[in-house]
Structures are given as C-alpha cells and as structure tokens.
Amino acid sequence: MKIIRIIGRGIKDAGKSVFRNFSLSLASISSTAITLIIVSLAIIFTYNVNSITKHIEDVLTVIVYVEKGTDETDVNTLKEHILYNDNVVSESLEYKTPEDIKASIPDSSDLKNVLNILDENPLKSTFVFKVKDVKKISDTANEVRGFDHVAEVKYGESVANKLVSMLEVIRNACVITVIALIFVTWFLISNTIKITIFSRRNEISIMRLVGTSNTVIKLPFLVEGLILGILGSLIPITLTIFGYMFFYDFTGGHLFSEIIELVNPNTIVYTTSLVLLIVGGLVGMVGSLNAVRRYLKI
Amino acid sequence: MAFIELNHVFKTYSNGVTALADVNLQINRGEFVFVIGESGSGKSTLNKLLYREEKVTKGNVMVGGVNVSKLKNSNVYKLRRKVGVVFQDFKLLPKLTVYENIAYPLETYGLDSAVIREKVMDAVERVGLKDKIRSYPNQLSGGEQQRVCIARAIVNRPKLIICDEPTGDLDPKMSREIMDVIEKINKELESTVIMSTHDKEIVNRMKKRVICIHNGVVVSDTEKGKYLEYEDN
C-alpha cells in the first residue's frame, strides 16, 4: 500500500508539473519532437536502403558460359567445381542448354528470328547462380573463370558492385545519425528538465531536509521525463505513419525507376513508431534522472 | 551514553575555511541547549553536521547511537526523519497551504491520509495554528510562518529538534511566543532541542545550557548560562 501511495503521488506530481511549467514542458516536447522526426526519417531511410541493397543483391547473378562442345561429364565436373565454392548459393545454380535459352527468348524478338534462320544454334550453354556475399562476387567470378571449359564469366559488374558498396556506406551513415540523434534528444530533454528542476530546487532541498528518500524525490521527475518523452514522440509517430503512407501512395511504391522499390508502409511504420515511442520515453527518463541527480548529492 | 556526542570534530570547507576545530560535546536526551557565537563562528556548521547537511572532515558525530559522519548518502533520509529542523527563513512551500506544508514530509514517506491528518492536527494544535490550516504562507505573519515551520519539524515526533536562529527575523514579542512553543514541545515530547541564536534576551531569560563557539572552537559550556560576548584578546 505504501509503495502504491508513493508511486501514485509521484505520477500525480509529475502530471501537475507538466501543466504547471507548461512553457518549459512545451519546449521540451517540441525539441524532442523535432529530433525524433529526424530519427524517424533516418530509420525509414535506412529500412529502404536496406531493402534496395537486398533487392540488388537478389537480382545480381553470375553467368558462366560453357565452351562449345563440352561433353556432359565435363559439364558435371564443372558444376561440382562451381558448387564447391562457399559463396555460391547452391539452390540458385541452374544449367541452361542452348535450346533452353533459345526457348526462353520471346518469339517476337529479332534475335529469335535470326536464331531460327541459322542451322546450328550458336548459343553457349550456361550456368547461372547467385552469390551469398555480393562483395566477394568478383573473387568468385575470377575463381570460376579459371575452371576448365569455361568460355566466359559475366555478372552485374562494376556498376552493381559500386552501388551496393555505396548503399552500405549510406546505411552505416544512417545508423550513426540515428544514434547521434538519440544523444541529442537525451541532451535536449536533460537540459529542459534541468531548467524545470532549477525552478524547483527549493522544493527538492526541503524534501531532502524533511527526510524524503532520494528514490521518492526522483520518482516524479522520472515520470515527468517519461511523459515529456512520450508526448514528444506523438507528432513524429503521426508524421511517420501518415507521411510515409502518403509518400508511398504518391510515388506508387517506386522511386525514380522500377528498380528502386520502396518498403511497404505496413511493414515498417508501426515498428518505427514503436521505436520512436520507446526512444522518446527512455531518453526522457534517463535525461530527467541525469538532471535531478546533481541536486541529490551530499 | 549521551544522545549526541561529538568527538574531536573538525570541519574544513573546500575553500580552505575551517569552521570547526576539535569540537567535543555531549548532549543528553531531552536537553535544551543554546549554541551562541557571532556570525561565522561555526554555529550553523555544527547544526548542519547533526542533520548531515555537511560531512565532518575529521572526528565523529553520533546522534542517537548512529555515527552520522559515516552515514551513506542514500541513508541520510532515515536520520532526517528523526530530526526536525526549524529555519530562520522558514523554508515553506508557497503554493501549499499550512496543512499541506505540515503534511508534506509525511506524504512523501507514503503514510496513510488518516494517519497524516491525525499527526498534522496534533502538530498544529501544539503550535496554536488550528484556525489557519487553510491559509497560504504569504497570508501569515512571520511568527505564524515560523510556527508552521515548527509544526512541520515536530509532525513526525522527532527525537531531536534543531533550530537555526528561529527568531532571527522576528520582533521580540513574536520571538517570545516562538520560544514558549519550542520550550513546551521540549517538555511535552521530551525531544532534545539544540538552538543556535543571537538573541541575548531569550538566552538570558530561559536559563538553559549555553554553549559558546568562537572561531570554530567551543570556548564555554555552562548550565543555566547567560549570553556571553566573547572577543579576541
């Protein structure tokens, strides 16, 4: 009962303080809101960069052209050699004969007409596979190139490679930005609450003099930080949900071209909102505790 | 064993000022003691050591068997619940009524509201402020505000009441009234009272034990003593 009364009092006092020091609360809420909006943007951006990277990695395949006239035994040996490489996704490995390739070319295509005219199919049989780690794609391609009966090895080559590594840099930059912004939010809330606490230092010193335990003194400030953090996260959450949904609909789910596909809002906005709520609340509490601690020394 | 014991107590502040030097004192339970001395003599420091607002530099301070000098920061509140402090500037919360100000410590201890009410009403009756419980501090005279401060100090029935120049801001008539209230509490609750003061008239009239501090050193300690103006030779 005693604990319930103390907690109840802490929550009541925190609520009163938020309204009593309304202008300061508003300053704290808005600074939190602004930083959390940027945090939200960075999170959504990171999600999309991740998804684009994954998409590119998925479509990136290695094509191995087998020399003409290679018999079946040698083709099988080559297949085993390719599968032996750790970076090759074994399930993705596919063997296509010249006839398979010819069949896969649409009838309307000029190439098909040319092929139809020729007596002999000039196409080479191929192995197509995906790699586990795109960064090692050129090593893998070079290794395969050295195998017997390999005429040529082709993959997305430098453009795809550069794009993937560039996206990775962007993703890392986003993660660093999110972490930095969380610190900024913590700093802002901590400072705003410091001002609130400064105006209440008299009250704190009286509480200490009359024998109030430090935990009980901290409690209302902890709850106040939590309230401010949560209130500060509401606007960013609303903007995240509706803003991203609008953006997704507006762009039709694609950015610049069909290749850059945006992540479906339903899969990310709620997770991002939850992250914002937790970050806002936690950072509010930690910032508040940090601010009150200096008045509880001695 | 005495209720309060100070053994070879030294206090030097971080700026190098020595406030107390080798102070040895024993005060028994229920005693009423005046601590006198000019401004800066070390009276307030002595008080602050007793309720652990300051830490000793050297020596030991024992209050009710507890070594206050070795008390952890996180446990200081346990000591403060047994010590009532009355300040010259009252230290009341302006936004709270008289009743709320007195109930404030008990509420933060998490006591039941019925128990709080009983204790607060007992305290306001003892200081004679029963008809003012709904007033705010700024609606009261200085004497009345000091009574509220006393009521808040005694509401938890402390074993020790420390008064830091409680009549410093009051006129002689009000000072007398306040002293009567404190003396009555000392007798009725059997609390030990330590009062630092500059008020010559009060000290001479009440004929209690008087400890005189000069430059951080106890220069006299007399039963039923008088106000002593100590000067450097």
Side-chain angles (χ1 to χ4, degrees):
Chain A
M1 270 313 280
K2 194 173 160 186
I3 291 172
I4 295 170
R5 273 197 294 270
I6 289 174
I7 292 173
R9 193 188 137 83
I11 295 171
K12 202 174 83 185
D13 280 2
K16 264 193 221 165
S17 172
V18 170
F19 287 104
R20 204 176 281 166
N21 307 300
F22 190 70
S23 52
L24 280 174
S25 303
L26 199 66
S28 196
I29 292 168
S30 24
S31 51
T32 311
I34 291 166
T35 35
L36 285 184
I37 287 171
I38 307 172
V39 169
S40 166
L41 285 176
I43 291 176
I44 287 179
F45 193 66
T46 313
Y47 258 121
N48 277 294
V49 168
N50 253 343
S51 143
I52 294 164
T53 314
K54 209 158 169 38
H55 184 68
I56 291 171
E57 284 177 2
D58 279 350
V59 296
L60 213 59
T61 49
V62 179
I63 305 170
V64 182
Y65 295 92
V66 183
E67 282 173 352
K68 273 205 143 325
T70 309
D71 63 30
E72 207 181 318
T73 329
D74 288 338
V75 168
N76 282 334
T77 317
L78 179 60
K79 184 179 179 182
E80 272 165 33
H81 276 124
I82 293 173
L83 283 174
Y84 195 70
N85 189 301
D86 287 340
N87 201 27
V88 175
V89 181
S90 42
E91 307 84 66
S92 70
L93 186 71
E94 222 178 315
Y95 178 69
K96 286 179 182 172
T97 60
E99 283 64 42
D100 293 336
I101 300 168
K102 189 180 167 187
S104 67
I105 298 170
D107 289 338
S108 55
S109 149
D110 290 339
L111 182 64
K112 188 71 170 262
N113 294 333
V114 175
L115 286 174
N116 284 336
I117 297 163
L118 296 169
D119 293 337
E120 199 187 338
N121 187 343
L123 297 171
K124 292 184 181 106
S125 54
T126 59
F127 277 107
V128 178
F129 63 84
K130 288 178 180 167
V131 289
K132 290 173 189 163
D133 187 353
V134 177
K135 276 175 277 174
K136 291 182 191 158
I137 196 166
S138 53
D139 292 343
T140 310
N142 285 336
E143 198 188 321
V144 173
R145 201 168 277 141
F147 294 154
D148 288 340
H149 309 293
V150 172
E152 207 180 339
V153 177
K154 279 196 169 173
Y155 60 99
E157 245 122 42
S158 58
V159 178
N161 234 349
K162 275 181 192 160
L163 192 62
V164 168
S165 49
M166 190 185 79
L167 287 174
E168 198 172 278
V169 171
I170 295 176
R171 187 173 55 189
N172 291 343
C174 282
V175 171
I176 293 168
T177 312
V178 169
I179 295 170
L181 284 170
I182 288 171
F183 274 102
V184 171
T185 319
W186 170 73
F187 180 75
L188 286 172
I189 293 195
S190 172
N191 270 303
T192 320
I193 290 183
K194 254 181 210 165
I195 303 169
T196 321
I197 290 174
F198 184 75
S199 64
R200 290 170 65 187
R201 64 195 187 286
N202 215 6
E203 199 180 324
I204 295 175
S205 75
I206 292 170
M207 282 174 110
R208 297 190 66 234
L209 284 171
V210 300
T212 310
S213 69
N214 283 358
T215 317
V216 176
I217 299 177
K218 279 182 210 164
L219 191 68
F221 292 103
L222 193 76
V223 179
E224 189 175 338
L226 180 73
I227 294 175
L228 293 178
I230 288 176
L231 287 178
S233 68
L234 290 183
I235 296 173
I237 286 174
T238 318
L239 281 179
T240 304
I241 296 175
F242 295 104
Y244 186 64
M245 279 180 173
F246 173 78
F247 182 69
Y248 188 82
D249 288 341
F250 183 75
T251 55
H254 296 282
L255 210 58
F256 310 122
S257 81
E258 293 286 312
I259 300 174
I260 304 183
E261 201 175 309
L262 293 172
V263 182
N264 191 304
N266 287 326
T267 56
I268 59 164
V269 287
Y270 302 113
T271 325
T272 309
S273 301
L274 190 69
V275 169
L276 293 180
L277 191 73
I278 293 171
V279 167
L282 274 183
V283 163
M285 284 201 291
V286 176
S288 187
L289 273 188
N290 177 54
V292 78
R293 205 180 301 144
R294 62 181 290 226
Y295 290 96
L296 298 176
K297 281 181 185 155
I298 294 202
Chain B
M1 192 186 163
F3 180 57
I4 295 172
E5 271 192 50
L6 277 79
N7 297 316
H8 304 290
V9 168
F10 288 80
K11 173 67 191 175
T12 306
Y13 286 102
S14 53
N15 60 5
V17 172
T18 299
L20 292 174
D22 200 16
V23 172
N24 292 285
L25 279 176
Q26 290 200 333
I27 296 167
N28 293 321
R29 196 176 286 275
E31 249 190 294
F32 193 123
V33 181
F34 282 115
V35 180
I36 61 165
E38 71 275 36
S39 298
S41 59
K43 303 188 299 291
S44 291
T45 303
L46 178 67
N47 286 340
K48 284 177 180 172
L49 291 180
L50 294 175
Y51 60 90
R52 242 304 296 274
E53 181 71 6
E54 293 291 347
K55 278 183 182 175
V56 293
T57 312
K58 218 169 105 184
N60 281 319
V61 177
M62 304 287 289
V63 175
V66 175
N67 192 339
V68 174
S69 31
K70 287 191 176 153
L71 207 58
K72 278 186 188 167
N73 282 347
S74 54
N75 286 330
V76 169
Y77 75 95
K78 290 179 186 163
L79 168 78
R80 302 250 172 102
R81 289 184 185 187
K82 292 177 189 152
V83 180
V85 190
V86 179
F87 302 94
Q88 182 176 359
D89 59 353
F90 325 131
K91 293 202 192 299
L92 299 175
L93 292 163
K95 287 176 184 169
L96 302 186
T97 63
V98 167
Y99 181 90
E100 290 165 340
N101 261 293
I102 300 168
Y104 192 73
L106 304 179
E107 277 178 3
T108 65
Y109 304 166
L111 295 187
D112 181 69
S113 56
V115 177
I116 293 177
R117 181 154 191 88
E118 195 184 310
K119 287 185 174 233
V120 173
M121 291 320 286
D122 177 67
V124 283
E125 267 178 45
R126 285 180 195 279
V127 298
L129 271 182
K130 211 178 168 185
D131 52 337
K132 300 270 185 181
I133 55 170
R134 286 182 212 288
S135 307
Y136 286 90
N138 61 3
Q139 297 167 331
L140 303 175
S141 70
E144 286 169 333
Q145 289 189 51
Q146 192 54 285
R147 284 169 193 238
V148 180
C149 184
I150 294 169
R152 185 182 62 193
I154 63 163
V155 73
N156 202 31
R157 299 278 185 116
K159 298 275 175 277
L160 170 64
I161 299 171
I162 297 168
C163 306
D164 198 357
E165 303 191 26
T167 58
D169 286 347
L170 306 176
D171 64 35
K173 186 173 168 284
M174 278 186 184
S175 298
R176 267 197 298 279
E177 283 174 15
I178 292 297
M179 289 315 298
D180 291 344
V181 169
I182 295 174
E183 194 178 19
K184 197 175 89 179
I185 288 163
N186 169 240
K187 282 182 183 150
E188 288 177 1
L189 301 182
E190 294 175 343
S191 305
T192 309
V193 175
I194 297 178
M195 182 183 293
S196 56
T197 185
H198 277 304
D199 199 323
K200 202 172 177 177
E201 192 261 321
I202 285 174
V203 177
N204 290 340
R205 184 172 63 89
M206 292 185 68
K207 297 187 174 59
K208 302 282 184 189
R209 179 178 168 189
V210 179
I211 296 168
C212 179
I213 300 183
H214 182 72
N215 286 344
V217 178
V218 174
V219 287
S220 77
D221 184 350
T222 45
E223 291 296 329
K224 295 186 180 178
K226 290 205 166 189
Y227 198 91
L228 184 74
E229 289 191 50
Y230 197 89
E231 281 177 23
D232 287 313
N233 293 323

